[in-house]
Every structure is written in C-alpha cells, then in structure tokens.
C-alpha cells in the first residue's frame, strides 16, 4: 500500500491534472506536468511520453529533461526497444535490467548504458483498443517497479490519453489522428521557440523551456501560443 505521504502526493497530482483539463487547455503542458510528477511519485530518474504520428512513428512529446541524452534514449527505444514494444503490443513492458535487452535492442541498450539508465518501464497510452503512445519511466538502478507504482503509472497514462484525445468528444479514428497531429505540431513549435529564447537570452535549452512555461502560466496563455508568438516574432519575453 502506498504510504500516506506518497498517497497524498498522488492525490495532489491527479487534482492538478484534473484542474488542467479545462476548456482550451494546452496538451503539451499537461503532459509535461504529468512526466515531472512521475519523478516525484516513483523511484525513477527520468520520465517521458512518446506519441505516434500519422505514420505510426513514435516521437517524444514531453520529458523530464530537455537534455538530448534523455530524448536520444527514448527515441532509440521508439525504433527498437521497450517503448516500441509497448506501443505495438499495447501491453506494459518492464525491462528490469538493460543489460538483458534482446540483441535487436542493442543501440538502445548501448545508449541507455552510456547515459546511466539501468532499467525501463513502459506503459501504453490506450483509448479502448487503440494505442497512441507510451509513458516511459527510466531508473538508474536495475529492478522492477513496485506493483502499486505499476497501477499508479497506468492511471497517469490513462489521464494523459484522455487529455490528448478528449475522449468524450471523439467518435471517429480521423479525429484521433487530428488530435495527435496537433499535439506533435505544438511540440515542434515549442522546440523552435526554445531555440529562439536560448539564442536571444544566452541560456540553455532547459532554461529556455522553463522561461516559456513560466511566462505562459503567469499570463494565462497556452504554451503553444506563446511559442508561436516567439517564432513569428509577434511576442517578446
């Protein structure tokens, strides 16, 4: 059973995510809040969410670090690793020791080892029978997630799925594809805006992303709208 302190934090996380799911909410910001919460709730080093684009290719849409090392590990996993296995099968994939990865996952294993990640847990983002992506939890030490963490991570993945697809309004698969495309397009614009800020302010990409989110929240604007304004030079932060 989750101890009182962790249980309180878990409840607070769901309350925060529920508050975020209001009209005209920002999907990328929602997912960013979710992955950041994972590192507080679970005994892990990093977390990230990957979504499938229109061609079924997995792309990173949110991660606990903007550093290229984490993104690289997850992208390699999306090509051959626990993440793509989770996406294809629609089932939880628990890699308790990256050293025991199958031969086909060699590039992922080598990158994970180089970056200090020793175990990966991937849980699917599913809408009924359709899997749209995966939530990935990475640990610096070998071992499996506790069972209560497995249940909690699936619940968080379900919240992410609902946030992305707005399940109550979706009826056709085309609507699902459009929602995924919008989320991934927003992330591309945010990446561009980070580059603009990093260059103009002389800060790291991590700091640039923090500036973007802080400005958006302080002014009650969508993160994607702020990013678009920076890219189009109609907004100065």
């Amino acid at each position: 059973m989750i101890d009182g302190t962790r249980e309180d934090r878990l409840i607070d996380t769901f309350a925060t995510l529920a508050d975020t799911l209001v009209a005209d909410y920002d999907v990328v910001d929602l997912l960013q809040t979710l992955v950041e919460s994972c590192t507080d709730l679970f005994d892990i080093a990093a977390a990230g969410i990957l979504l499938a684009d229109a061609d079924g290719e997995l792309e990173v849409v949110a991660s606990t670090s903007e550093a290229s090392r984490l993104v690289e590990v997850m992208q390699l996993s999306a090509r051959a690793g626990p993440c793509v296995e989770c996406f294809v099968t629609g089932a939880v994939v628990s890699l308790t020791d990256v050293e025991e990865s199958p031969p086909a996952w060699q590039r992922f294993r080598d990158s994970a080892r180089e970056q200090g990640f020793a175990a990966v847990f991937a849980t699917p983002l599913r809408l009924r029978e359709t899997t749209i992506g995966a939530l990935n939890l990475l640990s610096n030490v070998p071992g499996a997630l506790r069972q209560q963490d497995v249940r909690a991570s699936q619940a968080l993945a379900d919240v992410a799925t609902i946030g992305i697809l707005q399940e109550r309004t979706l009826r056709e698969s085309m609507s699902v594809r459009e929602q995924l495309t919008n989320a991934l397009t927003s992330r591309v614009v945010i990446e561009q805006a980070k580059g603009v800020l990093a260059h103009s302010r002389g800060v790291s990409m991590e700091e640039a992303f923090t500036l973007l989110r802080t400005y958006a929240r302080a002014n009650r604007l969508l993160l994607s709208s702020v990013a678009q304004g920076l890219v189009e030079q109609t907004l100065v932060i």
Side-chain angles (χ1 to χ4, degrees), residues 18-67:
D19 287 342
T20 307
L21 287 168
V22 296
D24 206 26
Y25 64 89
D26 191 293
V27 170
V28 174
D29 199 30
L30 169 71
L31 300 183
Q32 189 65 34
T33 298
L34 189 149
V35 295
E36 289 173 355
S37 297
C38 286
T39 57
D40 177 55
L41 292 168
F42 310 128
D43 187 20
I44 59 170
I49 288 177
L50 294 92
L51 297 180
D53 62 18
D55 297 320
E57 297 294 325
L58 290 167
E59 297 290 343
V60 177
V61 71
S63 63
T64 49
S65 172
E66 297 300 295

Short mmCIF file of all heavy atoms in Angstrom, two decimals, residues 18-67:
data_model
loop_
_atom_site.label_atom_id
_atom_site.label_comp_id
_atom_site.label_asym_id
_atom_site.label_seq_id
_atom_site.Cartn_x
_atom_site.Cartn_y
_atom_site.Cartn_z
N ALA A 18 -6.48 17.24 -13.15
CA ALA A 18 -7.91 17.49 -13.39
C ALA A 18 -8.17 18.98 -13.57
O ALA A 18 -8.97 19.39 -14.43
CB ALA A 18 -8.73 16.95 -12.22
N ASP A 19 -7.48 19.81 -12.78
CA ASP A 19 -7.63 21.26 -12.90
C ASP A 19 -7.12 21.75 -14.26
O ASP A 19 -7.61 22.75 -14.80
CB ASP A 19 -6.86 21.98 -11.79
CG ASP A 19 -7.54 21.84 -10.44
OD1 ASP A 19 -8.73 21.50 -10.42
OD2 ASP A 19 -6.86 22.06 -9.42
N THR A 20 -6.13 21.05 -14.80
CA THR A 20 -5.55 21.44 -16.08
C THR A 20 -6.48 21.10 -17.23
O THR A 20 -6.46 21.76 -18.27
CB THR A 20 -4.19 20.73 -16.29
OG1 THR A 20 -3.36 20.98 -15.16
CG2 THR A 20 -3.48 21.25 -17.53
N LEU A 21 -7.29 20.05 -17.06
CA LEU A 21 -8.19 19.62 -18.12
C LEU A 21 -9.44 20.50 -18.19
O LEU A 21 -10.55 20.07 -17.90
CB LEU A 21 -8.59 18.15 -17.90
CG LEU A 21 -7.51 17.11 -18.18
CD1 LEU A 21 -7.93 15.76 -17.65
CD2 LEU A 21 -7.22 17.04 -19.66
N VAL A 22 -9.23 21.74 -18.54
CA VAL A 22 -10.32 22.69 -18.70
C VAL A 22 -10.37 23.10 -20.16
O VAL A 22 -9.53 22.72 -20.97
CB VAL A 22 -10.12 23.93 -17.80
CG1 VAL A 22 -10.17 23.52 -16.34
CG2 VAL A 22 -8.79 24.61 -18.11
N ALA A 23 -11.38 23.91 -20.50
CA ALA A 23 -11.52 24.35 -21.89
C ALA A 23 -10.25 25.04 -22.37
O ALA A 23 -9.64 25.84 -21.65
CB ALA A 23 -12.70 25.30 -22.00
N ASP A 24 -9.86 24.70 -23.58
CA ASP A 24 -8.72 25.34 -24.24
C ASP A 24 -7.41 25.09 -23.50
O ASP A 24 -6.55 25.96 -23.43
CB ASP A 24 -8.96 26.86 -24.34
CG ASP A 24 -8.19 27.47 -25.51
OD1 ASP A 24 -7.90 26.73 -26.47
OD2 ASP A 24 -7.88 28.66 -25.44
N TYR A 25 -7.27 23.89 -22.92
CA TYR A 25 -6.03 23.57 -22.22
C TYR A 25 -4.93 23.23 -23.21
O TYR A 25 -5.19 22.90 -24.37
CB TYR A 25 -6.24 22.43 -21.23
CG TYR A 25 -6.62 21.12 -21.84
CD1 TYR A 25 -5.65 20.21 -22.25
CD2 TYR A 25 -7.95 20.76 -21.99
CE1 TYR A 25 -6.00 19.00 -22.81
CE2 TYR A 25 -8.32 19.55 -22.55
CZ TYR A 25 -7.34 18.68 -22.97
OH TYR A 25 -7.69 17.48 -23.52
N ASP A 26 -3.69 23.29 -22.74
CA ASP A 26 -2.53 23.03 -23.57
C ASP A 26 -2.07 21.59 -23.35
O ASP A 26 -1.64 21.24 -22.26
CB ASP A 26 -1.41 24.01 -23.23
CG ASP A 26 -0.28 23.97 -24.24
OD1 ASP A 26 0.41 22.93 -24.29
OD2 ASP A 26 -0.10 24.96 -24.96
N VAL A 27 -2.16 20.75 -24.37
CA VAL A 27 -1.84 19.33 -24.24
C VAL A 27 -0.38 19.11 -23.84
O VAL A 27 -0.08 18.32 -22.95
CB VAL A 27 -2.14 18.57 -25.55
CG1 VAL A 27 -1.59 17.16 -25.49
CG2 VAL A 27 -3.63 18.53 -25.79
N VAL A 28 0.54 19.82 -24.49
CA VAL A 28 1.96 19.62 -24.20
C VAL A 28 2.27 19.99 -22.75
O VAL A 28 3.02 19.29 -22.06
CB VAL A 28 2.85 20.41 -25.18
CG1 VAL A 28 4.32 20.30 -24.78
CG2 VAL A 28 2.66 19.90 -26.60
N ASP A 29 1.70 21.08 -22.28
CA ASP A 29 1.93 21.49 -20.90
C ASP A 29 1.35 20.47 -19.93
O ASP A 29 1.94 20.18 -18.88
CB ASP A 29 1.32 22.88 -20.65
CG ASP A 29 1.90 23.55 -19.43
OD1 ASP A 29 3.08 23.29 -19.10
OD2 ASP A 29 1.19 24.33 -18.78
N LEU A 30 0.19 19.93 -20.26
CA LEU A 30 -0.42 18.88 -19.44
C LEU A 30 0.51 17.67 -19.33
O LEU A 30 0.76 17.15 -18.24
CB LEU A 30 -1.75 18.45 -20.05
CG LEU A 30 -2.39 17.17 -19.47
CD1 LEU A 30 -2.90 17.42 -18.07
CD2 LEU A 30 -3.50 16.65 -20.37
N LEU A 31 1.05 17.24 -20.46
CA LEU A 31 1.92 16.07 -20.47
C LEU A 31 3.23 16.35 -19.76
O LEU A 31 3.80 15.47 -19.10
CB LEU A 31 2.18 15.62 -21.91
CG LEU A 31 0.95 15.22 -22.72
CD1 LEU A 31 1.35 14.71 -24.10
CD2 LEU A 31 0.12 14.17 -21.99
N GLN A 32 3.72 17.58 -19.87
CA GLN A 32 4.95 17.95 -19.16
C GLN A 32 4.73 17.89 -17.65
O GLN A 32 5.58 17.39 -16.91
CB GLN A 32 5.39 19.36 -19.58
CG GLN A 32 6.77 19.74 -19.07
CD GLN A 32 7.87 18.90 -19.67
OE1 GLN A 32 7.80 18.49 -20.82
NE2 GLN A 32 8.91 18.63 -18.89
N THR A 33 3.59 18.39 -17.19
CA THR A 33 3.26 18.33 -15.77
C THR A 33 3.20 16.87 -15.31
O THR A 33 3.68 16.52 -14.22
CB THR A 33 1.90 19.01 -15.51
OG1 THR A 33 1.99 20.39 -15.87
CG2 THR A 33 1.52 18.91 -14.03
N LEU A 34 2.64 16.02 -16.15
CA LEU A 34 2.49 14.62 -15.79
C LEU A 34 3.85 13.92 -15.64
O LEU A 34 4.08 13.24 -14.65
CB LEU A 34 1.64 13.91 -16.85
CG LEU A 34 1.21 12.48 -16.54
CD1 LEU A 34 -0.13 12.19 -17.19
CD2 LEU A 34 2.22 11.47 -17.03
N VAL A 35 4.75 14.10 -16.61
CA VAL A 35 6.04 13.40 -16.51
C VAL A 35 6.88 13.93 -15.35
O VAL A 35 7.61 13.17 -14.70
CB VAL A 35 6.84 13.47 -17.84
CG1 VAL A 35 6.11 12.73 -18.94
CG2 VAL A 35 7.14 14.90 -18.25
N GLU A 36 6.77 15.23 -15.08
CA GLU A 36 7.50 15.78 -13.94
C GLU A 36 6.97 15.19 -12.62
O GLU A 36 7.74 14.94 -11.69
CB GLU A 36 7.41 17.30 -13.94
CG GLU A 36 8.22 17.94 -15.07
CD GLU A 36 8.00 19.44 -15.18
OE1 GLU A 36 7.14 19.98 -14.43
OE2 GLU A 36 8.68 20.08 -16.00
N SER A 37 5.67 14.96 -12.57
CA SER A 37 5.08 14.36 -11.38
C SER A 37 5.58 12.93 -11.17
O SER A 37 5.73 12.48 -10.03
CB SER A 37 3.55 14.35 -11.49
OG SER A 37 3.03 15.67 -11.58
N CYS A 38 5.85 12.23 -12.26
CA CYS A 38 6.30 10.84 -12.16
C CYS A 38 7.61 10.72 -11.38
O CYS A 38 7.79 9.78 -10.60
CB CYS A 38 6.48 10.24 -13.55
SG CYS A 38 4.93 9.85 -14.40
N THR A 39 8.54 11.65 -11.59
CA THR A 39 9.82 11.57 -10.89
C THR A 39 9.66 11.84 -9.40
O THR A 39 10.50 11.43 -8.59
CB THR A 39 10.84 12.56 -11.48
OG1 THR A 39 10.32 13.89 -11.42
CG2 THR A 39 11.15 12.19 -12.92
N ASP A 40 8.59 12.52 -9.02
CA ASP A 40 8.33 12.78 -7.61
C ASP A 40 7.61 11.59 -6.96
O ASP A 40 7.84 11.28 -5.79
CB ASP A 40 7.47 14.05 -7.47
CG ASP A 40 7.10 14.34 -6.02
OD1 ASP A 40 8.02 14.45 -5.19
OD2 ASP A 40 5.90 14.47 -5.73
N LEU A 41 6.77 10.93 -7.75
CA LEU A 41 5.94 9.85 -7.20
C LEU A 41 6.64 8.50 -7.18
O LEU A 41 6.41 7.68 -6.29
CB LEU A 41 4.66 9.73 -8.02
CG LEU A 41 3.66 10.89 -7.91
CD1 LEU A 41 2.60 10.75 -8.99
CD2 LEU A 41 3.01 10.92 -6.54
N PHE A 42 7.49 8.26 -8.18
CA PHE A 42 8.10 6.95 -8.32
C PHE A 42 9.61 7.01 -8.12
O PHE A 42 10.22 8.05 -8.25
CB PHE A 42 7.79 6.37 -9.70
CG PHE A 42 6.33 6.43 -10.08
CD1 PHE A 42 5.93 7.00 -11.28
CD2 PHE A 42 5.36 5.95 -9.22
CE1 PHE A 42 4.59 7.08 -11.63
CE2 PHE A 42 4.01 6.03 -9.55
CZ PHE A 42 3.62 6.59 -10.76
N ASP A 43 10.18 5.85 -7.82
CA ASP A 43 11.62 5.77 -7.60
C ASP A 43 12.33 5.62 -8.95
O ASP A 43 12.84 4.56 -9.30
CB ASP A 43 11.93 4.57 -6.69
CG ASP A 43 13.40 4.54 -6.29
OD1 ASP A 43 14.06 5.59 -6.38
OD2 ASP A 43 13.87 3.45 -5.88
N ILE A 44 12.34 6.72 -9.71
CA ILE A 44 12.92 6.73 -11.05
C ILE A 44 13.80 7.97 -11.23
O ILE A 44 13.75 8.90 -10.42
CB ILE A 44 11.83 6.72 -12.15
CG1 ILE A 44 10.93 7.94 -12.00
CG2 ILE A 44 11.05 5.43 -12.11
CD1 ILE A 44 9.99 8.15 -13.16
N ALA A 45 14.59 7.96 -12.31
CA ALA A 45 15.48 9.08 -12.59
C ALA A 45 14.91 10.02 -13.63
O ALA A 45 15.22 11.22 -13.64
CB ALA A 45 16.84 8.56 -13.06
N ALA A 46 14.08 9.50 -14.53
CA ALA A 46 13.55 10.32 -15.63
C ALA A 46 12.27 9.70 -16.16
O ALA A 46 11.98 8.52 -15.94
CB ALA A 46 14.59 10.44 -16.74
N ALA A 47 11.51 10.52 -16.89
CA ALA A 47 10.26 10.04 -17.49
C ALA A 47 10.01 10.79 -18.79
O ALA A 47 10.48 11.91 -18.97
CB ALA A 47 9.09 10.24 -16.53
N GLY A 48 9.26 10.15 -19.66
CA GLY A 48 8.93 10.80 -20.92
C GLY A 48 7.71 10.17 -21.55
O GLY A 48 7.35 9.03 -21.24
N ILE A 49 7.05 10.93 -22.42
CA ILE A 49 5.90 10.43 -23.16
C ILE A 49 6.19 10.53 -24.65
O ILE A 49 6.66 11.55 -25.14
CB ILE A 49 4.62 11.23 -22.81
CG1 ILE A 49 4.15 10.88 -21.40
CG2 ILE A 49 3.50 10.93 -23.81
CD1 ILE A 49 2.94 11.67 -20.95
N LEU A 50 5.94 9.44 -25.36
CA LEU A 50 6.07 9.42 -26.80
C LEU A 50 4.70 9.15 -27.42
O LEU A 50 3.93 8.33 -26.92
CB LEU A 50 7.05 8.33 -27.26
CG LEU A 50 8.51 8.54 -26.85
CD1 LEU A 50 8.79 7.85 -25.53
CD2 LEU A 50 9.46 8.02 -27.93
N LEU A 51 4.40 9.87 -28.51
CA LEU A 51 3.15 9.69 -29.23
C LEU A 51 3.43 9.26 -30.66
O LEU A 51 4.47 9.61 -31.23
CB LEU A 51 2.34 11.00 -29.26
CG LEU A 51 1.87 11.56 -27.93
CD1 LEU A 51 1.09 12.86 -28.17
CD2 LEU A 51 0.98 10.56 -27.20
N ALA A 52 2.50 8.52 -31.23
CA ALA A 52 2.63 8.09 -32.62
C ALA A 52 2.11 9.17 -33.55
O ALA A 52 1.04 9.75 -33.32
CB ALA A 52 1.86 6.80 -32.84
N ASP A 53 2.88 9.48 -34.60
CA ASP A 53 2.42 10.45 -35.58
C ASP A 53 1.50 9.76 -36.59
O ASP A 53 1.13 8.59 -36.42
CB ASP A 53 3.60 11.14 -36.27
CG ASP A 53 4.48 10.17 -37.07
OD1 ASP A 53 4.02 9.05 -37.36
OD2 ASP A 53 5.62 10.55 -37.39
N ALA A 54 1.13 10.48 -37.64
CA ALA A 54 0.18 9.94 -38.62
C ALA A 54 0.69 8.69 -39.30
O ALA A 54 -0.09 7.87 -39.80
CB ALA A 54 -0.16 11.02 -39.65
N ASP A 55 2.01 8.52 -39.34
CA ASP A 55 2.61 7.35 -39.98
C ASP A 55 2.92 6.23 -38.99
O ASP A 55 3.52 5.22 -39.36
CB ASP A 55 3.90 7.75 -40.70
CG ASP A 55 3.65 8.75 -41.82
OD1 ASP A 55 2.63 8.58 -42.52
OD2 ASP A 55 4.45 9.68 -41.98
N GLY A 56 2.53 6.43 -37.73
CA GLY A 56 2.77 5.40 -36.73
C GLY A 56 4.15 5.44 -36.13
O GLY A 56 4.54 4.54 -35.39
N GLU A 57 4.93 6.50 -36.43
CA GLU A 57 6.27 6.65 -35.86
C GLU A 57 6.18 7.36 -34.50
O GLU A 57 5.46 8.36 -34.37
CB GLU A 57 7.17 7.45 -36.80
CG GLU A 57 7.41 6.78 -38.14
CD GLU A 57 8.21 5.50 -38.02
OE1 GLU A 57 9.10 5.43 -37.14
OE2 GLU A 57 7.94 4.57 -38.80
N LEU A 58 6.90 6.86 -33.50
CA LEU A 58 6.85 7.44 -32.17
C LEU A 58 7.80 8.63 -32.05
O LEU A 58 8.95 8.57 -32.48
CB LEU A 58 7.21 6.38 -31.12
CG LEU A 58 6.17 5.28 -30.92
CD1 LEU A 58 6.75 4.14 -30.12
CD2 LEU A 58 4.92 5.84 -30.24
N GLU A 59 7.30 9.71 -31.44
CA GLU A 59 8.10 10.91 -31.24
C GLU A 59 7.94 11.39 -29.80
O GLU A 59 6.86 11.30 -29.21
CB GLU A 59 7.64 12.04 -32.19
CG GLU A 59 7.81 11.73 -33.67
CD GLU A 59 9.27 11.71 -34.10
OE1 GLU A 59 10.11 12.25 -33.34
OE2 GLU A 59 9.56 11.17 -35.18
N VAL A 60 9.01 11.91 -29.23
CA VAL A 60 8.97 12.45 -27.87
C VAL A 60 8.15 13.73 -27.86
O VAL A 60 8.41 14.66 -28.61
CB VAL A 60 10.39 12.75 -27.35
CG1 VAL A 60 10.31 13.37 -25.95
CG2 VAL A 60 11.22 11.48 -27.31
N VAL A 61 7.15 13.79 -26.98
CA VAL A 61 6.32 14.99 -26.87
C VAL A 61 6.50 15.67 -25.51
O VAL A 61 6.23 16.86 -25.36
CB VAL A 61 4.84 14.66 -27.13
CG1 VAL A 61 4.25 13.86 -25.98
CG2 VAL A 61 4.01 15.92 -27.37
N ALA A 62 7.00 14.94 -24.51
CA ALA A 62 7.26 15.53 -23.19
C ALA A 62 8.30 14.68 -22.48
O ALA A 62 8.30 13.45 -22.59
CB ALA A 62 5.98 15.59 -22.36
N SER A 63 9.20 15.34 -21.75
CA SER A 63 10.22 14.60 -20.99
C SER A 63 10.64 15.43 -19.78
O SER A 63 10.47 16.66 -19.77
CB SER A 63 11.44 14.30 -21.86
OG SER A 63 12.08 15.48 -22.28
N THR A 64 11.18 14.76 -18.78
CA THR A 64 11.56 15.46 -17.56
C THR A 64 12.84 16.27 -17.75
O THR A 64 13.20 17.06 -16.88
CB THR A 64 11.76 14.47 -16.40
OG1 THR A 64 12.59 13.40 -16.84
CG2 THR A 64 10.43 13.93 -15.92
N SER A 65 13.51 16.05 -18.85
CA SER A 65 14.71 16.83 -19.15
C SER A 65 14.72 17.17 -20.62
O SER A 65 14.37 16.35 -21.46
CB SER A 65 15.98 16.04 -18.79
OG SER A 65 17.13 16.74 -19.24
N GLU A 66 15.10 18.40 -20.92
CA GLU A 66 15.23 18.80 -22.31
C GLU A 66 16.59 18.38 -22.87
O GLU A 66 16.89 18.62 -24.03
CB GLU A 66 15.06 20.32 -22.43
CG GLU A 66 13.69 20.81 -22.02
CD GLU A 66 12.58 20.20 -22.87
OE1 GLU A 66 12.53 20.47 -24.08
OE2 GLU A 66 11.77 19.43 -22.32
N ALA A 67 17.42 17.79 -22.02
CA ALA A 67 18.75 17.36 -22.45
C ALA A 67 18.63 16.30 -23.54
O ALA A 67 17.78 15.41 -23.48
CB ALA A 67 19.54 16.80 -21.27
#
